[in-house]
Amino acid sequence: KKKMVDLTVVEAIVESTPHSRPDMLVRDLLAIALQGNGRVEDVQGACLAFTGHKDLAKLTAALCALAQPTGGARKRRRSTDDAEAAFQLQMQEAADASFATAEQHKRHRAQEVLRKKEAQAVAIAIHQTRQVQEQEDFNLAYKVGLPQGPHTWFEDSAKRSKCGLPGCNSSPQVAHQGFCSELHQDKAQSRGLGAPPSDDVERCFMGPNGEFSCLLLTRKSKKRAEIVRGFLDAWRKPTPPMPRVEHVYQIVPSPRVRERFDLYASSVGNVRQRFHGTASTCSFGTSLSAGPCTETTCSLCNILSDGPFTHTHT
C-alpha cells in the first residue's frame, strides 16, 4: 500500500524548527521518511533543496517518495518475513514433536507400570495357588500317614494334649491339625514333621513322598516297652554286652504297601513279629532332626518306602 506524507505535518515541522537548527528539521522529517527507504542523506538532500526553492509541496513530495518502500526493501522485508515464518513453523513442529515424544514416553511408562502390576498379580496368584496346593498335598499325606484300620496301635479315644511341634507345650487346635497355631504348623512342615496322634508319640516324621509316616514312640509308651522287651528276648548273639535300644518307631506304611501286605497275609496267614537288621546311608533313626531320605542306596529308607525285603535291603 502506497504511503502518503501529510503536507500540513511537514509544514508544521518546518515552521516550528528554528532556522539555526537544521539538524532538528532533518531529525523530525527523518521520522517520516524512515517509514520506507528514507535515509539521513536523502532527507538532508531534500532539506537542502528546500532551502533553495522554499516550496513545501516539493519537500512533501520528496519525503513522500522516500516514504515508499523500494522494490529491494519490499523484497528484503518479504524475505525476512518468510524466514521468520519458516523459523516459527520449525519451532512449532519441534514443539509438537517434543510433545508427541513426551506423550509417547508417558504412555510407554503407563504401559510398563500396568505390565508390572499384571505380572505381580499373576505371581501372587501363582504363589497363593501353590501354597494352597502344597497345603492340600500335605493334608492328604498327613491323613494317609496316620495309623488306620485294624492295625492301629492307638485307641480311637487317644488324644494329643500338646502341640505337635517338638518343644511346644501349648494345646493343639483342630483348625491347625494338631498344632497350636499356623506358625508352628508351617515350621513343622518345613522340617518334614506331622502332628503326633497321641501323647505316646514324641514326633511324627513324614516320608519324602508323603505316602508313609514314622512315629517315634516316647519312653513312657507301653507299646515301646513291649517292643524293647521282645527285641532283647530274641537277641541270640552270645557276645556281650546286650545292645541298647535308642529309639522305637511305629511305621505307618502307604496304602499301596499296606494293601500288598494284607493280600499276602490273607493268602499265607501265620503273621509273626520278627526283627531284621539292615544298613542305612542317612541319619534317620539316630538323629531326631533327620527324617527318611530318598537315596536309592539307603536300604532302611527304601524298606520304609517300598516295603519288600530284597537282597539290596538286607
Side-chain angles (χ1 to χ4, degrees), residues 239-287:
T239 304
M242 292 290 289
R244 185 179 66 178
V245 178
E246 295 289 344
H247 305 296
V248 176
Y249 291 85
Q250 174 196 355
I251 308 303
V252 182
S254 67
R256 171 176 52 84
V257 174
R258 170 61 70 182
E259 182 180 7
R260 188 170 66 232
F261 171 80
D262 289 342
L263 288 174
Y264 181 77
S266 62
S267 64
V268 176
N270 193 34
V271 178
R272 293 289 184 268
Q273 174 177 283
R274 292 291 182 265
F275 299 97
H276 171 75
T278 191
S280 66
T281 59
C282 68
S283 299
F284 176 66
T286 57
S287 173

Side-chain angles (χ1 to χ4, degrees), residues 42 131 163 240 292 294:
D42 297 330
Q131 284 185 323
C163 175
T294 58

Side-chain angles (χ1 to χ4, degrees), residues 72-150:
R74 286 194 299 268
K75 185 176 181 180
R76 286 192 300 272
R77 179 172 298 175
R78 187 163 52 249
S79 177
T80 301
D81 293 343
D82 292 344
E84 180 66 21
F87 176 75
Q88 292 297 333
L89 179 60
Q90 291 177 354
M91 291 297 293
Q92 184 62 42
E93 291 177 349
D96 294 342
S98 177
F99 178 77
T101 302
E103 287 296 314
Q104 184 178 4
H105 289 171
K106 183 178 180 180
R107 289 193 299 270
H108 180 70
R109 287 195 297 269
Q111 292 173 354
E112 285 294 324
V113 171
L114 181 60
R115 279 196 292 268
K116 287 182 179 180
K117 288 183 178 179
E118 291 176 349
Q120 289 176 352
V122 171
I124 292 174
I126 293 176
H127 178 68
Q128 292 176 343
T129 302
R130 185 177 301 166
Q131 284 185 323
V132 171
Q133 186 62 47
E134 289 177 352
Q135 183 64 44
E136 292 178 353
D137 293 344
F138 179 83
N139 293 344
L140 178 61
Y142 176 78
K143 291 179 181 179
V144 170
L146 289 178
Q148 303 173 13

Side-chain angles (χ1 to χ4, degrees), residues 7-233:
L7 176 61
T8 57
V9 174
V10 175
E11 183 179 6
I13 293 174
V14 173
E15 290 180 353
S16 63
T17 302
H19 295 290
S20 60
R21 296 294 304 274
D23 57 319
M24 294 178 61
L25 178 62
V26 173
R27 182 197 65 190
D28 294 337
L29 296 178
L30 179 61
I32 298 176
L34 285 178
Q35 297 179 57
N37 194 33
R39 297 181 301 170
V40 177
E41 294 82 356
D42 297 330
V43 175
Q44 286 177 342
C47 292
L48 181 61
F50 173 72
T51 58
H53 57 67
K54 301 293 184 180
D55 188 343
L56 288 173
K58 289 183 178 181
L59 176 60
T60 302
L63 294 174
C64 185
L66 294 175
Q68 306 309 314
T70 64
R74 286 194 299 268
K75 185 176 181 180
R76 286 192 300 272
R77 179 172 298 175
R78 187 163 52 249
S79 177
T80 301
D81 293 343
D82 292 344
E84 180 66 21
F87 176 75
Q88 292 297 333
L89 179 60
Q90 291 177 354
M91 291 297 293
Q92 184 62 42
E93 291 177 349
D96 294 342
S98 177
F99 178 77
T101 302
E103 287 296 314
Q104 184 178 4
H105 289 171
K106 183 178 180 180
R107 289 193 299 270
H108 180 70
R109 287 195 297 269
Q111 292 173 354
E112 285 294 324
V113 171
L114 181 60
R115 279 196 292 268
K116 287 182 179 180
K117 288 183 178 179
E118 291 176 349
Q120 289 176 352
V122 171
I124 292 174
I126 293 176
H127 178 68
Q128 292 176 343
T129 302
R130 185 177 301 166
Q131 284 185 323
V132 171
Q133 186 62 47
E134 289 177 352
Q135 183 64 44
E136 292 178 353
D137 293 344
F138 179 83
N139 293 344
L140 178 61
Y142 176 78
K143 291 179 181 179
V144 170
L146 289 178
Q148 303 173 13
H151 305 285
T152 178
W153 288 5
F154 304 96
E155 299 295 333
D156 294 337
S157 59
K159 295 181 179 180
R160 180 75 177 179
S161 62
K162 59 183 180 179
C163 175
L165 183 68
C168 179
N169 295 321
S170 300
S171 300
Q173 302 296 322
V174 176
H176 301 301
Q177 302 178 348
F179 298 93
C180 66
S181 64
E182 183 178 359
L183 175 62
H184 279 194
Q185 184 179 2
D186 293 341
K187 285 185 177 181
Q189 290 183 21
S190 66
R191 301 177 188 176
L193 299 175
S198 74
D199 285 341
D200 283 343
V201 178
E202 182 178 340
R203 302 187 185 197
C204 174
F205 291 92
M206 304 299 296
N209 55 7
E211 293 184 349
F212 68 95
S213 59
C214 304
L215 309 180
L216 175 61
L217 302 181
T218 66
R219 294 187 178 276
K220 295 181 180 181
S221 169
K222 294 181 179 180
K223 189 61 182 179
R224 181 186 189 279
E226 294 176 3
I227 294 296
V228 172
R229 187 181 308 111
F231 172 73
L232 296 178
D233 291 343

